[in-house]
Amino acid sequence: MRYSALSLLKNALGRNLGWSPVWREPEPKPHYDVVIVGGGGHGLATAYYLAKAFGVTNIAVLEKGYLGSGNVGRNTTIVRSNYLLPGNEPFYEFSMKLWEGLERELNYNVMLSQRGVMILYHSDSERDALIRRGNGMWMEGVEAELVDREGVRRMMPFLNFDHARFPILGGLLQKRGGTARHDAVAWGYARGADRLGVDLIQNCAVTGIRREAGRVVGVETTRGFIGCGRLGLAAAGHSSEVARMADLALPIESHVLQAFVTEGLKPCIDHVIIYGAGHFYISQSDKGGLVFGGEIDGFGSYAQRGNLATAEHVMEEGVAMIPGLSRVKVLRAWGGVMDMSMDGSPIISRTSIDNLYLNAGWCYGGFKATPASGFCFAHLIAKGEPHPAARFFRLDRFERGHLIDEAGAGPQPNLH
Amino acid sequence: MASLISCPHCGPRPKEEFAVRGDATLLRPAPEASDEAWHAYVYLRANPRGVHVEHWQHVGGCRRFLVVERNTLTHDVLSVADAAEVAQGGAA
């Protein structure tokens, strides 16, 4: 069913009994041309673009839980393309452009809100670093604007401008950045892929990768063996576990990242604000809750829950930036498993196994990348060649010394 | 994460006193070892979902490096030993 104002009206008058399920629940077929492991945002987007843009329709997406049950359904929903390095910025700008047309593309309301993303600075050196980042963006044709202290004050009067240690001196604004409704992105891609004939198979955990003569021939799953011509892995925080089934070791450690949401408030924070003094970011959802997060907890974890010391640290940062936050009650906290790569940048790549492709290493920045990650991974799987925007995200860059290290932190995943 | 790590020198301490260094199962290759061996040492990680052995440093206490065996899924800490003793052949 195509969604429109007319379909909404018709179903409202029909007591909403006329809606049909948004996707099928098919039994797995014995063989597919392409199997994608992971029914999160990236896996679903990959399947969608494979079918839509590259004409491959005999596809299955295998998800061990339910669709969108991982990080795509539990993140701070920020969308931006304000990266520094030439290996990253064109990719994230490609993603931003896909975001801007996504609702029309999918016929699904992903509630994209380009409310502006502001990174604050607190010292001359931080300002210089942000100017450099802004220039890096302009070099790729992406608009960035340096806003002075008074300009920030006009936009965000509630900030603690005169903090003794971290006064707010200004910020770098990307006006096109903002937020999107995270679940809707997964649902929109799932619906779109299903309508193009992709089989979305839930509650189907991959337990093994069967290989013959150095090529993948299929996957063992909790719902039996499923053969495939090509296999794409998009398992996010569990990438290492899945790749191990094919005897691949990855340059990845899994870490836990927490996110928090408060009780609903009247509209008060109009932008996405990133605190330069620590690593704290906040925005207000359409329901009114303040959605915020900070750094990863710092040690390897698959637990999908965070620890209180980090929660306390994040809240302290938030209150340092916006003193009024101290009166707001936190409703929920989540922990998600992040595939932290060794240089902080993602991997969309062929592997040492001919027909096995890898999409991983998204660290805590995978949500904004969802459309471009899907498109570029689909391009790679369909054509065997990397998409130009993702050509630097090769798995062998670590071996060859071509790292994309935005933070300049070296091979220490918990510092990225 | 269990909230306590039992330092062999200082006793049970809150884990916030410790800093993690990473995988302790990797052995530093010889300087003349192949590029593949160095690549594996610097970049590739087993990253297990379950029992893992890591180096932690007790930065808020004795400042010794420790070998901590813990479960990455449940956060249970299974054993803690001094890294120098382990390197010299002591029990992990």
Side-chain angles (χ1 to χ4, degrees):
Chain A
M1 179 188 298
R2 199 180 153 73
Y3 295 149
S4 64
L6 187 66
S7 74
L8 197 64
L9 184 69
K10 235 167 62 183
N11 279 285
L13 295 174
R15 294 190 299 152
N16 283 313
L17 297 173
W19 298 110
S20 52
V22 173
W23 50 77
R24 299 164 293 129
E25 297 209 14
E27 284 301 309
K29 289 191 279 189
H31 189 274
Y32 293 91
D33 292 342
V34 176
V35 164
I36 305 291
V37 180
H42 291 221
L44 293 167
T46 303
Y48 173 79
Y49 288 117
L50 270 172
K52 182 74 189 294
F54 299 101
V56 184
T57 52
N58 186 20
I59 307 171
V61 176
L62 309 182
E63 165 55 46
K64 72 174 172 180
Y66 57 90
L67 296 179
S69 55
N71 297 340
V72 73
R74 52 178 85 210
N75 59 70
T76 46
T77 76
I78 298 169
V79 172
R80 58 186 175 88
S81 60
N82 54 1
Y83 281 72
L84 169 69
L85 296 179
N88 273 330
E89 181 60 10
F91 172 82
Y92 287 101
E93 177 54 18
F94 178 48
S95 201
M96 197 68 231
K97 291 206 171 86
L98 290 174
W99 278 114
E100 287 170 334
L102 194 58
E103 287 162 348
R104 251 162 304 149
E105 167 80 25
L106 295 177
N107 177 231
Y108 204 90
N109 185 5
V110 301
M111 296 165 72
L112 178 71
S113 162
Q114 292 178 286
R115 58 185 68 182
V117 172
M118 177 80 86
I119 310 176
L120 301 173
Y121 62 80
H122 312 270
S123 66
D124 290 351
S125 52
E126 266 189 305
R127 183 199 57 204
D128 292 350
L130 284 182
I131 290 172
R132 184 178 172 224
R133 187 196 286 228
N135 286 339
M137 293 163 65
W138 279 108
M139 298 265 282
E140 303 295 340
V142 182
E143 189 192 341
E145 187 183 324
L146 197 72
V147 184
D148 65 10
R149 181 178 161 98
E150 288 317 305
V152 174
R153 198 192 292 276
R154 275 193 296 277
M155 295 167 73
M156 306 159 185
F158 45 79
L159 296 178
N160 186 3
F161 287 87
D162 300 314
H163 190 284
R165 175 65 183 84
F166 300 110
I168 292 166
L169 304 181
L172 184 74
L173 176 68
Q174 185 188 17
K175 283 184 179 162
R176 286 161 64 232
T179 61
R181 170 78 199 280
H182 49 6
D183 299 306
V185 176
W187 299 334
Y189 275 120
R191 171 171 169 270
D194 179 86
R195 283 152 60 104
L196 293 166
V198 174
D199 280 0
L200 308 175
I201 299 166
Q202 309 183 63
N203 300 309
C204 179
V206 171
T207 55
I209 295 175
R210 194 186 289 178
R211 282 164 292 156
E212 280 167 19
R215 289 176 63 87
V216 173
V217 294
V219 287
E220 316 283 351
T221 78
T222 49
R223 295 177 68 171
F225 176 78
I226 300 172
C228 65
R230 278 163 284 179
L231 181 64
L233 306 182
H238 291 76
S239 293
S240 296
E241 289 291 315
V242 180
R244 198 187 324 281
M245 297 171 191
D247 298 320
L248 292 180
L250 301 183
I252 285 174
E253 273 182 19
S254 295
H255 286 255
V256 65
L257 176 71
Q258 303 189 58
F260 308 87
V261 65
T262 71
E263 60 189 330
L265 304 173
K266 288 189 175 178
C268 54
I269 297 183
D270 299 333
H271 309 85
V272 177
I273 313 172
I274 300 173
Y275 198 33
H279 194 187
F280 177 86
Y281 35 92
I282 190 166
S283 65
Q284 187 167 23
S285 78
D286 290 339
K287 281 195 291 186
L290 304 181
V291 183
F292 61 94
E295 285 278 16
I296 52 177
D297 280 19
F299 51 84
S301 173
Y302 282 88
Q304 291 187 289
R305 65 170 186 274
N307 80 87
L308 279 174
T310 303
E312 189 177 16
H313 177 75
V314 171
M315 313 272 172
E316 281 171 355
E317 282 187 293
V319 173
M321 180 171 104
I322 307 175
L325 280 187
S326 64
R327 301 290 188 89
V328 183
K329 296 181 183 72
V330 171
L331 284 190
R332 291 188 296 279
W334 311 271
V337 186
M338 308 291 121
D339 34 339
M340 299 298 296
S341 70
M342 285 302 204
D343 61 358
S345 292
I347 298 159
I348 299 178
S349 180
R350 281 177 284 194
T351 66
S352 55
I353 298 168
D354 200 27
N355 57 344
L356 177 65
Y357 301 87
L358 178 69
N359 177 327
W362 292 97
C363 301
Y364 39 76
F367 179 69
K368 73 179 84 70
T370 304
S373 166
F375 196 95
C376 294
F377 198 35
H379 185 286
L380 178 70
I381 292 172
K383 302 193 169 190
E385 293 293 328
H387 185 280
R391 68 188 186 280
F392 294 104
F393 295 164
R394 296 166 60 126
L395 179 58
D396 65 3
R397 70 175 183 264
F398 300 93
E399 234 169 316
R400 297 180 305 118
H402 291 261
L403 305 191
I404 312 170
D405 189 343
E406 288 267 339
Q412 191 66 25
N414 59 349
L415 299 183
H416 284 291
Chain B
M1 192 68 212
S3 57
L4 294 176
I5 294 177
S6 285
C7 176
H9 308 292
C10 313
R13 293 295 189 94
K15 69 167 187 314
E16 286 70 41
E17 289 186 5
F18 299 79
V20 65
R21 174 70 181 84
D23 196 325
T25 62
L26 299 159
L27 290 179
R28 192 181 177 85
E32 64 278 12
S34 65
D35 287 353
E36 288 75 26
W38 275 100
H39 167 243
Y41 172 71
V42 176
Y43 293 113
L44 301 183
R45 296 292 179 264
N47 190 26
R49 182 176 185 264
V51 176
H52 193 25
V53 184
E54 293 167 321
H55 281 130
W56 287 65
Q57 189 188 12
H58 193 184
V59 289
C62 58
R63 300 197 62 79
R64 298 287 292 179
F65 270 94
L66 308 172
V67 174
V68 176
E69 186 187 16
R70 66 183 187 94
N71 188 316
T72 60
L73 187 58
T74 64
H75 290 171
D76 291 333
V77 175
L78 306 172
S79 72
V80 186
D82 186 272
E85 283 173 24
V86 173
Q88 287 156 15

